[in-house]
């Protein structure tokens, strides 16, 4: 009888846990629903026990004799059910639900043997006249790996170790338009590829684009004369600019567009929860501004002699990488495993308190 009673209580507790788990999964944003459901079920169990007791009393009233004996199996089942119905919602409310909704970021470090150079987008805000005006019609953008050499072979046709090589073909042919956060930008993007592979730290990638500037219009609009500026976004080559911005893998940085800019790329391989991992580069930048303004089409005293240029010198100082992943403190499989261990404890406690453990 003891073994049968234990099996019965195990089945009952499993069914109740399954029912409560279903309620929790369906109403995962409202953990209080689980407590309400549990209270209803506890009242139901107590009512059933009371009805069983009344039935026994009425059955005993028709004949003389001792009162019905205490049923240890029934006591064990009732205790297991009540403990389960009370404890599971409380555990879910104060332990499992917070764990299922608490963000945890795990950070580790490793070293890679090689890494691809990033994609680069230059952004010019259309309604900001103090910025430079990107141009590809009168001067094509340039790109080199290793060093600037007009006679260098195409990177896609040479081995990564054969440097320098040219990657001018990775620049887009035309100026694009990109709406973002209520503003519209003119964009020029260098789309990286598998051919732009860096196998040795500190290998240079040189990217150059050309622009014009209207100083008189900038003064009229902003009452001061600034150097032409552009925003630069550097991001993982597996992503588009929109994906990188939406998932916070890149942030446009405002720079002086009339000069040279060195960009050191720190490797931070990061995963946004529910998204595939990608690089979120740690950027360290320094600028060497140009001392002349050859591209000023708004000057009354000096005619423009050619476009200005922005030169980006990119390198990976080291191949040491930080890897960070975002997840929840607990998953549903963790909750199920924890619930199983607690159910075993509930059954042992009910087995002892009901007297079934001492019954032979």
């Amino acid at each position: 009888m003891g073994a049968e009673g234990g099996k019965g209580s195990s089945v009952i507790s499993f069914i109740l846990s399954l029912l409560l788990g279903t309620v929790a999964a369906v109403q995962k944003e409202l953990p209080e629903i689980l407590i309400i459901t549990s209270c209803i079920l506890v009242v139901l169990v107590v009512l059933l026990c009371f009805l069983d007791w009344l039935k026994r009393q009425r059955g005993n009233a028709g004949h003389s004799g001792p009162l019905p004996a205490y049923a240890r199996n029934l006591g064990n089942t009732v205790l297991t059910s009540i403990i389960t119905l009370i404890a599971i919602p409380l555990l879910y409310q104060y332990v499992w639900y917070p764990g299922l909704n608490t963000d945890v970021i795990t950070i580790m470090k490793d070293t890679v043997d090689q890494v691809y150079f990033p994609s680069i987008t230059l952004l010019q805000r259309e309604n900001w006249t103090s910025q430079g005006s990107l141009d590809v019609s009168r001067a094509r953008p340039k790109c080199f790996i290793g060093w600037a050499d007009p006679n260098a072979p195409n990177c896609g046709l040479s081995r990564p170790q054969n440097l320098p090589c040219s990657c001018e073909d990775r620049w887009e042919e035309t100026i694009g338009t990109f709406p973002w956060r209520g503003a519209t930008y003119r964009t020029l993007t260098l789309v990286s590829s598998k051919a732009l592979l860096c196998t040795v730290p500190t290998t240079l990638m040189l990217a150059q684009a050309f622009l014009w500037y209207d100083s008189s219009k900038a003064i009229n609009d902003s009452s001061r004369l600034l150097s032409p500026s552009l925003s630069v976004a550097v991001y993982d080559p597996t992503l588009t600019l929109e994906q990188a911005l939406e998932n916070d893998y890149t942030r446009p940085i405002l720079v002086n567009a009339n000069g040279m800019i060195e960009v050191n790329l720190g490797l931070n391989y990061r995963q946004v929860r529910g998204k595939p991992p990608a690089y979120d580069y740690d950027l360290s930048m320094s600028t060497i501004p140009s001392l002349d303004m050859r591209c000023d089409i708004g000057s009354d005293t000096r005619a423009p002699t050619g476009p200005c240029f922005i030169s980006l010198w990119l390198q990976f100082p080291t191949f040491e990488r930080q890897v960070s992943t975002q997840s929840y403190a607990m998953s549903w499989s963790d909750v199920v495993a924890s619930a199983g261990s607690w159910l075993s404890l509930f059954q042992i406690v009910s087995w002892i308190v009901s007297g079934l453990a001492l019954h032979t």
Side-chain angles (χ1 to χ4, degrees):
M1 289 293 292
E4 293 178 0
K7 291 179 180 178
S9 64
S10 298
V11 173
I12 292 296
S13 62
F14 173 76
I15 294 175
L16 291 174
S17 299
L18 187 62
L19 176 60
L20 294 175
T22 303
V23 174
V26 173
Q27 300 290 338
K28 56 185 178 182
E29 300 300 329
L30 297 172
E32 296 82 7
I33 296 295
L34 197 61
I35 296 179
I36 297 174
T37 303
S38 176
C39 292
I40 295 173
L41 292 176
V42 168
V43 172
L44 181 60
V45 170
V46 173
L47 178 61
L48 290 174
C49 291
F50 177 71
L51 292 176
D52 181 75
W53 178 79
L54 283 179
K55 182 179 178 181
R56 289 170 178 265
Q57 288 292 91
R58 290 172 182 174
N60 191 59
H63 58 85
S64 59
L67 293 174
Y70 166 66
R72 294 182 177 86
N73 289 340
L74 180 60
N76 180 42
T77 301
V78 171
L79 278 173
T80 302
S81 301
I82 293 177
I83 293 175
T84 300
L85 289 171
I86 293 175
I88 291 295
L90 293 176
L91 286 169
Y92 181 76
Q93 175 80 18
Y94 297 107
V95 179
W96 299 332
Y97 182 78
L100 289 169
N101 293 274
T102 300
D103 285 323
V104 173
I105 297 177
T106 304
I107 298 176
M108 58 177 292
K109 290 189 176 182
D110 63 8
T111 302
V112 296
D113 297 326
Q114 56 191 22
V115 64
Y116 294 105
F117 281 105
S119 293
I120 306 167
T121 296
L122 304 176
L123 300 99
Q124 171 201 341
R125 185 161 178 156
E126 287 189 342
N127 60 351
W128 189 9
T129 54
S130 292
Q131 293 207 297
S133 179
L134 290 165
D135 182 26
V136 295
S137 60
R138 285 173 283 185
R140 285 295 304 164
K142 302 181 183 300
C143 176
F144 299 96
I145 304 295
W147 193 247
D149 184 355
N151 299 318
N154 188 289
C155 295
L157 303 177
S158 61
R159 301 179 63 184
Q161 294 82 3
N162 295 337
L163 300 177
C165 65
S166 172
C167 46
E168 293 183 10
D169 61 322
R170 303 313 306 172
W171 282 106
E172 292 181 338
E173 294 290 333
T174 58
I175 303 296
T177 301
F178 181 72
W180 180 252
R181 301 288 172 85
T184 302
Y185 297 86
R186 299 176 72 241
T187 61
L188 180 60
T189 299
L190 187 152
V191 183
S192 186
S193 70
K194 292 183 178 180
L196 307 188
L197 180 65
C198 179
T199 59
V200 179
T202 69
T203 299
L204 285 175
M205 175 182 182
L206 286 75
Q208 188 178 73
F210 298 91
L211 59 139
W212 299 89
Y213 188 55
D214 190 336
S215 61
S216 61
K217 192 171 184 180
I219 292 176
N220 291 335
D221 291 346
S222 60
S223 301
R224 61 186 305 180
L225 181 60
L226 301 173
S227 296
S229 64
L230 290 172
S231 294
V232 179
V234 180
Y235 50 97
D236 190 296
T238 63
L239 304 175
T240 64
L241 174 62
E242 184 176 8
Q243 291 172 334
L245 288 171
E246 286 181 348
N247 296 314
D248 197 30
Y249 283 121
T250 188
R251 291 142 293 277
I253 299 176
L254 189 67
V255 298
N256 184 344
N258 186 27
M260 296 189 301
I261 303 170
E262 183 181 40
V263 184
N264 287 328
L265 302 164
L267 295 177
N268 180 19
Y269 197 59
R270 188 168 64 85
Q271 181 179 23
V272 176
R273 188 177 57 254
K275 303 290 183 180
Y279 279 107
D280 181 359
Y281 301 103
D282 291 327
L283 304 182
S284 175
M285 309 178 73
S286 62
T287 303
I288 303 176
S290 176
L291 295 179
D292 63 352
M293 184 76 72
R294 55 184 294 184
C295 59
D296 187 359
I297 60 176
S299 175
D300 296 329
T301 59
R302 183 179 178 183
T305 58
C308 297
F309 59 85
I310 176 173
S311 295
L312 299 173
W313 297 49
L314 298 96
Q315 66 173 354
F316 298 101
T318 175
F319 282 172
E320 182 177 326
R321 180 177 69 169
Q322 176 176 287
V323 181
S324 56
T325 56
Q326 185 179 10
S327 61
Y328 290 118
M330 295 185 74
S331 65
W332 277 105
S333 59
D334 297 327
V335 172
V336 171
S338 177
S341 62
W342 279 102
L343 286 176
S344 299
L345 178 61
F346 300 158
Q347 291 168 13
I348 292 174
V349 171
S350 301
W351 191 46
I352 295 173
V353 174
S354 66
L356 194 61
L358 306 176
H359 181 60
T360 57

